[in-house]
Amino acid sequence: MAKDDRSSINPFTGKSHFDMVNDDKFLKDSYNEYYSMINQVQLLDNTQNGQIVRNVAIKLIQAVESYLSKIGRLDYVEDYYDWDFHLVADDTVNAFCMPGGKIVMFSGILSVANTEEKVAFILGHEMAHALLDHSRTRISAQNAQNTIASAAWIGSIAMDLVGLGSLGSLTRAATNVASIGSQFFLMNPWGRDQELEADRLGMLMIHWAGYDISDIPAFWQSMSEQNSNEHDFFSTHPADSKRIASMNELIMEIENGTDFYSQPVLRNTPKPKEEFKDYHLINDNVKYCQECGTRANADDKFCTVCGAKFEVELKCGKCGSLVNEGDSFCMNCGNKL
């Protein structure tokens, strides 16, 4: 299916994304780059780890298609995304999904993504970039400013996707063609807003696929901060309090039974302080920082991410309602305090 044969409205954002790309050439060049790389590496698809990656990828694809079917937007992926997935033998700690659904995971990332849930999040995050057309949007923006030559498009994106990894032949080829505008793609990660979108959609995808996402924020925070110089995937996806807060926000939305089918699942993310101020304590064991949204234990005195001191909450001993210091009676049940 040609891009123009489907609705321009992205089903996950509810918006038409900026697009000035020749779709046929864009996908052809993307696929050529993908198959050129696949033909130069050792594939581990038939190994035990390769089967894990395959099974996870299939579950995520099925989850996306099931969601789109429920909202009546299968046209977005049907006959357009040509899904393919491989585990390749390479020490690079990275993974990517090229436009059109070409998924590659390097075996090196399994040293840190040592559970199926972690593999699912990494694949889901990268698949989300493709489903949200982030490559197309970035290229269109640069093309509008006449700063990137056509020859640099796919080569520079390939470098960005692999995070300057150790695939020497791919790196040299990309560097040779990216004579104009390569600095933007080679040195900068995805934009902040695009990372937040990929985080949210990726986590929803793995939730829809039946995986537990409760430990993803802690995994992301730990790996991106402790190993950012060693692991390409995390170094090109910097963590900050806003990203962790958004991940925790989504977990709470799921716990609260939010309806993700009646409106687009992605929206502008408010400031964490504004978003979390109304639900500081969600149960007897878990609470969220009012400053950055980080998940914490109910008895924690300070946030382990931003250092903010948790506010002390006074409750009625009879009904558990919040009360103010100095109140003589509970405004909910009338109990004398």
Side-chain angles (χ1 to χ4, degrees):
M1 176 190 293
K3 172 172 63 73
D4 293 338
D5 293 336
R6 63 175 182 168
S7 171
S8 62
I9 303 298
N10 188 291
F12 305 106
T13 66
K15 300 182 294 184
S16 292
H17 297 169
F18 183 48
D19 188 352
M20 295 181 61
V21 173
N22 180 311
D23 195 56
D24 290 338
K25 175 174 171 45
F26 178 70
L27 288 180
K28 179 181 179 181
D29 289 348
S30 295
Y31 290 176
N32 286 343
E33 193 73 35
Y34 168 76
Y35 288 118
S36 175
M37 185 194 74
I38 291 302
N39 290 333
Q40 299 178 54
V41 298
Q42 178 186 356
L43 300 181
L44 302 177
D45 298 336
N46 294 325
T47 65
Q48 182 178 0
N49 285 332
Q51 289 302 303
I52 291 175
V53 171
R54 173 185 173 82
N55 292 338
V56 169
I58 290 175
K59 286 182 181 179
L60 294 179
I61 292 168
Q62 290 175 340
V64 169
E65 292 179 347
S66 176
Y67 170 79
L68 292 176
S69 177
K70 289 179 181 178
I71 65 172
R73 283 302 314 275
L74 264 178
D75 68 289
Y76 188 74
V77 295
E78 229 168 25
D79 300 324
Y80 187 82
Y81 281 83
D82 184 17
W83 297 106
D84 195 15
F85 31 82
H86 294 289
L87 176 67
V88 303
D90 192 280
D91 291 337
T92 304
V93 181
N94 216 333
F96 66 86
C97 180
M98 294 191 80
K102 304 302 186 184
I103 305 167
V104 174
M105 174 170 276
F106 302 132
S107 58
I109 204 167
L110 298 177
S111 64
V112 293
N114 51 12
T115 68
E116 193 167 323
E117 285 79 12
K118 293 174 182 178
V119 170
F121 174 70
I122 289 173
L123 288 181
H125 178 94
E126 295 306 303
M127 289 171 64
H129 278 305
L131 288 166
L132 294 167
D133 278 334
H134 284 163
S135 296
R136 189 191 306 276
T137 302
R138 294 188 78 192
I139 290 174
S140 296
Q142 290 302 300
N143 187 45
Q145 300 174 27
N146 296 318
T147 58
I148 293 183
S150 297
W153 285 3
I154 301 303
S156 58
I157 286 184
M159 290 285 286
D160 190 47
L161 288 170
V162 301
L164 301 178
S166 61
L167 292 178
S169 58
L170 176 63
T171 301
R172 288 190 294 274
T175 303
N176 289 335
V177 298
S179 58
I180 301 176
S182 61
Q183 181 72 17
F184 177 80
F185 285 104
L186 301 184
M187 302 307 296
N188 293 340
W190 296 105
R192 182 180 298 270
D193 289 343
Q194 291 182 334
E195 287 297 347
L196 287 170
E197 287 184 341
D199 284 347
R200 182 176 174 86
L201 180 56
M203 288 182 69
L204 277 171
M205 288 164 57
I206 66 175
H207 168 67
W208 294 332
Y211 292 105
D212 180 10
I213 64 173
S214 60
D215 292 332
I216 293 300
F219 164 65
W220 187 260
Q221 182 78 34
S222 173
M223 295 309 305
S224 60
E225 287 188 349
Q226 296 179 23
N227 302 287
S228 60
N229 294 326
E230 301 175 25
H231 299 157
D232 296 315
F233 183 84
F234 297 97
S235 66
T236 57
H237 298 69
D240 57 24
S241 60
K242 186 173 183 179
R243 290 187 69 178
I244 302 301
S246 296
M247 291 179 181
N248 282 319
E249 173 202 353
L250 176 60
I251 292 173
M252 196 175 67
E253 286 183 53
I254 292 172
E255 290 174 349
N256 288 340
T258 299
D259 178 11
F260 294 107
Y261 298 93
S262 60
Q263 60 183 349
V265 297
L266 299 184
R267 60 186 185 276
N268 292 332
T269 305
K271 294 180 180 179
K273 185 174 181 179
E274 298 173 355
E275 187 71 9
F276 284 91
K277 65 183 180 181
D278 293 330
Y279 40 79
H280 171 60
L281 185 66
I282 64 172
N283 57 45
D284 291 339
N285 300 313
V286 177
K287 62 184 176 183
Y288 289 90
C289 175
Q290 291 178 294
E291 295 295 326
C292 72
T294 297
R295 191 183 181 103
N297 295 322
D299 57 354
D300 286 352
K301 300 296 188 292
F302 295 90
C303 174
T304 58
V305 172
C306 71
K309 185 176 181 179
F310 288 114
E311 296 178 3
V312 176
E313 292 180 329
L314 304 178
K315 294 184 178 182
C316 171
K318 183 176 180 181
C319 70
S321 297
L322 294 178
V323 296
N324 297 317
E325 186 174 358
D327 286 351
S328 299
F329 296 90
C330 173
M331 297 297 293
N332 182 56
C333 68
N335 179 47
K336 184 176 181 179
L337 303 174

